Amino acid sequence: MIGDSHTKLNFKSENDKIYPLKVKWFEKGLRVLEADEKYKEILGLKLIAINNISIEEIIHKLKILFPHQNMQWFKYQLSDVIIHEKVLQFIGINKVNYWTFEDDNGQKIQVKIVPIQYKKASKINMVKLDIKVPEHLQKPENSYDQYWYKMIPDKQIIYWQYNICVDRSDTGDENTPDFMEFVHHLIDDLNNEEVKTLIIDLRKNRGGNSLWMKRFIDVLTYNSTFLNNGKIYVLIGKETFSSGLMAAVDLKDKLNAKLVGEETGGDLNAPGEIKLANLPNSNMTFYYSTKLFHLKPNETGGLKPDIEVQQHFNLFVNGIDEPFETILKLK
């Protein structure tokens, strides 16, 4: 479907060339979080042009190429697509690539960045911007990447980072957690009378199987005392998409959870349930939607937070999670 964020072509191959840096969209544009060691002077700087073409013009051209239902999802995708040489070539940015960056004082620096083959990217020495990670975002040892939780006793909080809607039965992989086992442990801790607040972080959740959050809500509703006095907050943002978005909607509608953060990258009324096919000549993989979902028929765009909080880059670097800190002030 035209404009559907799920409908897309997997254009990447290991022989493609990419520019060895990682960028992410913050309140005023793209910031460099990682780079090849030879370009380490650009860490933390804002990207403002490539080959003297402004980032605004580049964004205008790329918006035509990559499907998105709102600008939040496009901003998330931009971090990935802008480092691909053939994408930039397609919009007229040729091989001699001078990237222009700007610091917080308005000082500009122009750097010639040489692309490398994607399959060789793991062999280069990438360096990361020095970022302080707040305590609540530090994953406990022996936890799964897909989702985990931790107690924050002095705040009477349980923080649950839910990154993908998945269960071991979906994948058949022992490296995937058993969701219902996880939920029973979580609810046992929620029933502790010292816990007053549950924070569910969906800011990295781009989808999966929407069934699992519904299961959690059912178990919490019928087998827990937490809802008698406890409060639930849900963190959402640009990467909250597909089943991640559905999870946020279910938590708000069924548990009266308060949403904090930014508008989601997924639209409330949009296609989903993707399938894939290989194109006959190129053998490239094509993803397409098969069902139209109407989560909120009378609303447009992404799911809006009850309390909008945008993460500022300088606070992010110093370990301050603004949406999370906002919830602490509300308790």
Side-chain angles (χ1 to χ4, degrees):
M1 297 181 184
I2 296 175
D4 168 30
S5 299
H6 285 100
T7 300
K8 59 185 179 180
L9 186 68
N10 182 7
F11 64 89
K12 303 172 186 176
S13 81
E14 63 177 15
N15 292 316
D16 287 345
K17 289 186 176 182
I18 60 170
Y19 291 90
L21 66 161
K22 178 181 178 181
V23 295
K24 183 177 180 178
W25 188 281
F26 286 88
E27 78 282 7
K28 293 182 180 179
L30 291 168
R31 295 280 190 154
V32 181
L33 300 185
E34 296 183 32
D36 187 329
E37 186 178 32
K38 66 181 71 170
Y39 311 119
K40 62 183 179 181
E41 72 270 25
I42 66 174
L43 288 173
L45 302 185
K46 181 172 70 173
L47 175 63
I48 61 172
I50 305 174
N51 273 13
N52 295 319
I53 300 174
S54 72
I55 193 65
E56 291 77 16
E57 185 176 346
I58 291 170
I59 287 172
H60 177 72
K61 292 179 177 180
L62 290 177
K63 280 168 61 178
I64 300 170
L65 285 180
F66 294 95
H68 56 282
Q69 286 143 349
N70 61 49
M71 278 302 294
Q72 287 288 85
W73 187 245
F74 177 77
K75 289 175 182 177
Y76 163 67
Q77 287 190 103
L78 185 62
S79 301
D80 178 42
V81 301
I82 202 168
I83 65 171
H84 284 265
E85 181 188 51
K86 68 181 179 184
V87 170
L88 296 180
Q89 288 178 348
F90 189 84
I91 62 172
I93 299 178
N94 296 314
K95 291 185 177 180
V96 180
N97 286 316
Y98 289 93
W99 296 57
T100 306
F101 302 90
E102 184 179 70
D103 66 17
D104 291 334
N105 297 316
Q107 295 295 313
K108 296 179 177 60
I109 177 175
Q110 191 173 69
V111 180
K112 182 180 179 181
I113 301 180
V114 179
I116 60 169
Q117 278 190 314
Y118 184 77
K119 62 184 178 183
K120 296 180 180 178
S122 61
K123 297 179 181 179
I124 66 171
N125 186 21
M126 295 286 285
V127 292
K128 297 182 179 182
L129 181 66
D130 186 17
I131 298 171
K132 183 179 179 182
V133 180
E135 192 275 335
H136 68 278
L137 293 179
Q138 296 174 23
K139 183 167 73 74
E141 288 186 17
N142 302 317
S143 296
Y144 290 94
D145 291 334
Q146 294 92 334
Y147 40 85
W148 50 269
Y149 76 91
K150 69 192 314 181
M151 304 275 290
I152 308 177
D154 61 320
K155 302 283 195 306
Q156 296 181 301
I157 285 173
I158 286 181
Y159 168 83
W160 173 15
Q161 189 172 116
Y162 189 42
N163 296 326
I164 182 170
C165 309
V166 70
D167 173 71
R168 189 172 297 158
S169 63
D170 295 320
T171 66
D173 185 351
E174 288 297 316
N175 292 318
T176 303
D178 181 313
F179 184 79
M180 294 311 297
E181 180 181 324
F182 172 88
V183 163
H184 288 306
H185 287 301
L186 172 60
I187 289 179
D188 283 346
D189 282 336
L190 280 173
N191 287 335
N192 182 328
E193 62 182 19
E194 297 299 319
V195 178
K196 305 298 183 186
T197 303
L198 171 63
I199 299 175
I200 304 174
D201 193 343
L202 301 177
R203 288 177 293 182
K204 295 181 180 180
N205 194 313
R206 303 195 298 276
N209 187 342
S210 58
L211 166 70
W212 300 114
M213 181 53 75
K214 296 180 189 299
R215 290 273 180 89
F216 164 73
I217 292 171
D218 287 343
V219 175
L220 183 67
T221 301
Y222 297 110
N223 297 294
S224 173
T225 58
F226 173 76
L227 293 179
N228 295 338
N229 298 297
K231 295 180 180 179
I232 299 177
Y233 294 94
V234 179
L235 295 167
I236 58 174
K238 288 184 279 292
E239 289 186 58
T240 310
F241 182 76
S242 193
S243 291
L245 164 64
M246 292 181 182
V249 171
D250 285 341
L251 288 163
K252 181 175 175 63
D253 289 350
K254 297 177 182 179
L255 298 181
N256 198 31
K258 296 296 182 185
L259 308 179
V260 181
E262 299 181 52
E263 179 183 357
T264 61
D267 262 15
L268 287 164
N269 306 298
E273 284 197 11
I274 62 171
K275 292 186 177 180
L276 57 87
N278 289 331
L279 299 180
N281 295 322
S282 65
N283 203 36
M284 296 175 76
T285 303
F286 177 68
Y287 300 86
Y288 61 97
S289 295
T290 61
K291 183 178 179 179
L292 186 59
F293 291 87
H294 295 283
L295 302 180
K296 299 283 183 179
N298 297 322
E299 298 182 27
T300 59
L303 180 63
K304 312 296 192 299
D306 297 303
I307 304 168
E308 184 174 6
V309 184
Q310 195 172 55
Q311 179 67 58
H312 291 79
F313 173 74
N314 289 330
L315 293 178
F316 167 78
V317 170
N318 287 297
I320 299 174
D321 182 349
E322 291 177 87
F324 180 86
E325 293 295 328
T326 298
I327 293 173
L328 296 186
K329 294 174 184 176
L330 295 172
K331 288 177 64 264

